[in-house]
Amino acid sequence: MVILITGASHTGKTVLAQRMLEKYQYPYLSIDHLKMGLIRSGNTELTPEDDDKLTEYLWPVVREMVKTAIENQQNLIVEGCYIPYEWRKDFDAAYLPNIRFICLSMSKNYIASHFAEIINHGNDIEKRIDDSYCTKEWLTQENERIMNGFRQVGEQVVFIDDYYERAIGTLFENANG
């Protein structure tokens, strides 16, 4: 089983991946690690701010890693925001039953009432050097953009509107299928 976890910045993708690793013993790949490795090694002139171009650049690599894991009957969690809305078109029907897709999105009300918590949890797994870009307005816009993009192509979105723990808790019930 390959689990793809995506969503806007600060939605808890990495926390969820870490918890799934701990519970199911599935290794996970952070697309951010791949991104920074390619940027720091000089293998691309893209920067961390080139989000749309990074999706185009990184997805073909990640997509083939997912196929390889499935072909080798290996479990893998892939987490990051560089998963395109129409990711399913890149997989033959034989692969899709082996992929579980999770998109996390926070409501405007959740962001407004939990913003300090969201920012404080930003360093739970990874250490963010600069979070100054992350305002309530920006976070609200990003969550709406990501949610609308995935919903437009028919993907389900885990909508976090009241309690984060309750929203992600249901994801563990079906991790194996």
Side-chain angles (χ1 to χ4, degrees):
M1 174 64 59
V2 174
I3 302 172
L4 299 178
I5 303 172
T6 195
S9 180
H10 288 77
T11 54
K13 299 178 300 293
T14 308
V15 168
L16 178 58
Q18 181 67 35
R19 289 183 184 176
M20 286 186 163
L21 163 100
E22 292 167 1
K23 183 166 183 167
Y24 300 109
Q25 311 275 303
Y26 292 7
Y28 83 83
L29 166 71
S30 167
I31 302 174
D32 278 342
H33 291 171
L34 178 61
K35 168 188 78 175
M36 292 310 298
L38 291 165
I39 290 170
R40 288 180 172 176
S41 67
N43 282 301
T44 182
E45 292 182 14
L46 297 173
T47 70
E49 288 77 38
D50 294 324
D51 282 343
D52 290 339
K53 291 179 182 174
L54 281 164
T55 298
E56 292 173 20
Y57 183 70
L58 295 168
W59 179 245
V61 176
V62 172
R63 174 192 70 216
E64 298 308 316
M65 292 172 77
V66 168
K67 289 178 182 178
T68 301
I70 292 168
E71 290 161 0
N72 288 321
Q73 299 179 352
Q74 295 171 308
N75 297 317
L76 179 65
I77 300 165
V78 177
E79 107 17 64
C81 60
Y82 303 104
I83 298 173
Y85 300 134
E86 295 185 352
W87 66 272
R88 287 182 189 270
K89 72 174 177 47
D90 293 328
F91 295 95
D92 293 337
Y95 290 101
L96 290 172
N98 299 293
I99 301 172
R100 178 154 183 242
F101 176 77
I102 299 170
C103 177
L104 302 177
S105 181
M106 295 183 217
S107 73
K108 181 178 183 177
N109 289 336
Y110 183 85
I111 294 166
S113 60
H114 294 88
F115 185 71
E117 270 179 75
I118 293 166
I119 295 301
N120 287 339
H121 285 291
N123 287 315
D124 283 358
I125 304 295
E126 56 193 2
K127 304 304 172 216
R128 297 175 188 268
I129 296 170
D130 180 16
D131 245 359
S132 62
Y133 67 92
C134 189
T135 64
K136 283 183 189 178
E137 296 75 23
W138 180 85
L139 197 56
T140 300
Q141 289 173 354
E142 280 299 293
N143 273 269
E144 288 177 9
R145 181 180 68 81
I146 298 290
M147 179 180 61
N148 290 336
F150 280 110
R151 282 187 172 167
Q152 283 178 354
V153 298
E155 295 292 349
Q156 291 189 340
V157 175
V158 177
F159 193 59
I160 302 163
D161 192 37
D162 52 9
Y163 298 103
Y164 175 82
E165 293 299 330
R166 184 179 334 175
I168 68 162
T170 61
L171 299 172
F172 288 89
E173 296 167 7
N174 299 320
N176 292 315

